[in-house]
Amino acid sequence: MFGVIRVIRVIRVIRVIRVIRVPCFPCFMLNRRDALAGLAAAAVVATGRRAHAASWRRQERPYLDAAFRAERWLTRQVVSTPTGVTWAADPNNPKSIQNNLYSGSPGVVLFYLELHRATGDAAALMMAEQGAAYLAEAATGPGAVKAFAGESAGLYTGLAGIAFVLERTGRAANKGEFLEASRSALDLIKHLARPTQSGVEWSESNDIISGTAGIGLTLLWAGRTLDDGEAIGLAVRAGRTLIDNGIPAKGGLTWPISPKVPRRYPNFSHGAAGASYFLASLYEATNDRRFLDAAIKGATYLRSVATETNSGGRMIFHSEPGNETLFYLSWCHGPAGTARLYHKLGEVTRDRDWSRYVDRLTAATRDMKVPERSPGFWNNISQCCGNCGVMEYLLSLYTLTGDTRHLDYARHIAADTLERATTDGDGLKWVQAEHRVQPENLVAQTGLMQGAAGVGLAMLHLDGALSQRKPFVVLPDSPW
């Protein structure tokens, strides 16, 4: 049995509530919130209010306060299991429990890890460990091979994302059990790779979300972080397959999600920007010119189809055929995601022309007046499609350049995000429409890319930018 699970069960039996003062920042102290009450087999975690030290004035740290309030709401949504804790993506739908980074519990664990790093809150780390214990059992248990085959091996759809979360938990908690579980999950990813004519793949999907590009980036991350040379070698083989799957277009290359999906989405999450970003990252890791040439072809295609905005900005349409005049603006299909490719090309080639294109993509975001609503920027505050994806992008630019205009813009978007929060007891949640074409489907979710964990993570990163604190959670698909 996974070692930490035994510890968790002891905690559940003890049922002791303590309040512990822990150092948080040089300028003030925060009391740890009430430790988790014992968990009965089917009980929800019981929590008490976190008392803030009198020396801290909440108005001075509004983003940290927002993260705390998101945490209170998330903690009330905990689902206890025999192996740890998890969260339903939609708390009103118990069947929405998922083990993926996009909507499921892995993203919530990352939020608690970042909260612990920002504040020293021992209860936040405890919660992250319990969530990671649940994931470790899922990823290393006897049913894992069947559960995570195909697209379920993906970065945002399953096993690759879990491997990342387990490693981060192991580092934060200084516990080898989680690091071992992360390596086991990576070993399973290697096992699930299937050969192609030129390399490997896990499914027919090419993209960042569920396919070769996202898994490949996770393997490159494992090579750097865990000194896993075998992972880098497998990423190289995945890159060869991805090159073969590219389709010539507009003097460059583009990629479909898979041969089964006729519509093409050119931006980061599902298309040429994400595939090319992985290939540029492979060139950085291997110095193999084939990967750089293919990445440049992807960037060339994207520039050829870009639309110019009022101030000379650039943005790429949502999808084709039929949506060439629809422009999303956040991580998934907008400038905030696509800029990652051009930043990476600027880094690996030292050609400032690529880096300057990041400025043009940023200009388009300003020209479209985010966070004002538009056909491609609807009632959504998420990391994927809405406010928080743009906020994280701007914070990355601020950290990279020191240009306070990016920080000011991020704070403007944060203010809008907080205005759109819903108070739930002493917590905060965000009721939003995940899907543009289903504006009536309003849900307050828990997860990273469409829920409170993602909002809380963005708020912690904004507080960190103001406090000169580096983020702990930097996903494998981020160049920043």
Side-chain angles (χ1 to χ4, degrees):
M1 180 62 68
F2 190 68
V4 73
I5 296 170
R6 293 194 293 269
V7 176
I8 292 165
R9 287 174 175 165
V10 171
I11 293 170
R12 291 175 178 167
V13 173
I14 293 174
R15 301 183 64 85
V16 173
I17 301 177
R18 293 182 298 170
V19 179
I20 301 174
R21 294 180 65 86
V22 294
C24 299
F25 304 98
C27 57
F28 62 86
M29 303 282 286
L30 289 176
N31 280 343
R32 204 197 84 165
R33 67 166 164 77
D34 292 344
L36 297 176
L39 294 175
V44 176
V45 175
T47 63
R49 290 179 178 269
R50 179 186 283 102
H52 295 238
S55 60
W56 178 53
R57 290 170 293 179
R58 294 173 66 169
Q59 64 270 23
E60 294 180 356
R61 312 288 295 251
Y63 313 118
L64 182 61
D65 182 58
F68 276 135
R69 296 183 69 189
E71 178 267 337
R72 291 175 192 136
W73 183 76
L74 286 166
T75 297
R76 287 202 297 272
Q77 314 313 318
V78 164
V79 177
S80 175
T81 81
T83 59
V85 302
T86 188
W87 290 260
D90 175 1
N92 295 318
N93 179 10
K95 294 182 179 180
S96 66
I97 291 175
Q98 303 167 37
N99 293 335
N100 65 67
L101 188 59
Y102 190 90
S103 299
S105 63
V108 184
V109 171
L110 291 181
F111 164 70
Y112 280 100
L113 290 175
E114 192 72 56
L115 183 62
H116 169 69
R117 174 57 61 92
T119 66
D121 186 351
L125 182 59
M126 182 188 299
M127 186 69 83
E129 289 184 55
Q130 294 186 65
Y134 175 87
L135 293 171
E137 187 74 11
T140 62
V145 173
K146 182 177 180 180
F148 293 108
E151 292 187 355
S152 293
L155 174 55
Y156 285 92
T157 54
L159 190 59
I162 292 174
F164 172 75
V165 171
L166 291 172
E167 186 278 337
R168 290 288 80 192
T169 306
R171 298 293 180 193
N174 194 28
K175 289 190 175 179
E177 300 99 323
F178 292 117
L179 296 175
E180 181 181 348
S182 177
R183 291 183 183 276
S184 295
L186 289 164
D187 286 343
L188 181 54
I189 290 171
K190 297 168 188 175
H191 172 75
L192 291 172
R194 62 193 196 191
T196 66
Q197 185 173 357
S198 58
V200 297
E201 65 184 9
W202 289 261
S203 69
E204 291 185 328
S205 177
N206 297 308
D207 68 0
I208 292 287
I209 293 284
S210 64
T212 299
I215 296 171
L217 287 167
T218 306
L219 292 169
L220 289 178
W221 161 82
R224 296 189 305 269
T225 305
L226 300 172
D227 194 25
D228 188 339
E230 184 181 358
I232 294 177
L234 192 60
V236 168
R237 296 173 65 194
R240 292 172 185 163
T241 297
L242 201 60
I243 291 175
D244 285 351
N245 291 347
I247 298 173
K250 303 286 186 179
L253 285 175
T254 189
W255 282 263
I257 294 178
S258 77
K260 297 177 181 178
V261 181
R263 182 177 296 279
R264 294 182 193 168
Y265 302 82
N267 288 284
F268 189 75
S269 62
H270 289 307
S276 299
Y277 173 75
F278 166 52
L279 293 171
S281 300
L282 262 178
Y283 170 73
E284 183 178 38
T286 66
N287 207 33
D288 187 331
R289 183 75 197 195
R290 289 175 298 174
F291 299 128
L292 178 60
D293 290 343
I296 288 174
K297 288 180 180 178
T300 299
Y301 160 75
L302 291 165
R303 289 209 293 195
S304 73
V305 300
T307 293
E308 184 172 0
T309 61
N310 292 336
S311 69
R314 296 290 189 277
M315 56 187 181
I316 292 95
F317 58 79
H318 173 262
S319 59
E320 61 180 346
N323 281 331
E324 291 86 351
T325 58
L326 175 64
F327 299 97
Y328 280 24
L329 300 170
S330 193
W331 173 88
C332 57
H333 301 294
T338 298
R340 297 180 177 205
L341 167 61
Y342 292 95
H343 171 72
K344 179 61 68 176
L345 285 175
E347 277 191 324
V348 300
T349 65
R350 299 184 181 180
D351 183 344
R352 294 188 62 188
D353 185 52
W354 296 117
S355 301
R356 281 192 290 266
Y357 209 76
V358 174
D359 296 333
R360 292 188 170 188
L361 291 162
T362 307
T365 305
R366 292 180 179 274
D367 287 345
M368 294 298 286
K369 299 182 180 180
V370 170
E372 288 186 13
R373 308 284 176 87
S374 69
F377 203 74
W378 64 100
N379 179 24
N380 186 284
I381 48 74
S382 73
Q383 291 266 0
C384 180
C385 316
N387 278 14
C388 290
V390 180
M391 192 193 315
E392 293 271 25
Y393 170 56
L394 293 167
L395 292 174
S396 297
L397 292 181
Y398 169 66
T399 301
L400 181 70
T401 67
D403 187 337
T404 57
R405 291 177 300 171
H406 299 311
L407 179 61
D408 291 342
Y409 197 9
R411 296 183 73 172
H412 171 63
I413 295 171
D416 179 76
T417 305
L418 293 177
E419 286 177 3
R420 291 160 66 177
T422 298
T423 299
D424 188 332
D426 61 352
L428 287 180
K429 62 183 180 181
W430 283 264
V431 181
Q432 63 162 13
E434 177 177 351
H435 304 287
R436 174 183 58 86
V437 296
Q438 298 176 18
E440 74 287 349
N441 186 12
L442 300 173
V443 181
Q445 295 191 48
T446 60
L448 178 67
M449 299 305 285
Q450 294 287 352
V455 178
L457 188 66
M459 293 296 169
L460 288 171
H461 287 166
L462 177 50
D463 178 76
L466 293 167
S467 306
Q468 298 184 331
R469 183 184 68 247
K470 292 183 179 180
F472 180 70
V473 174
V474 180
L475 294 170
D477 63 329
S478 174
W480 313 112

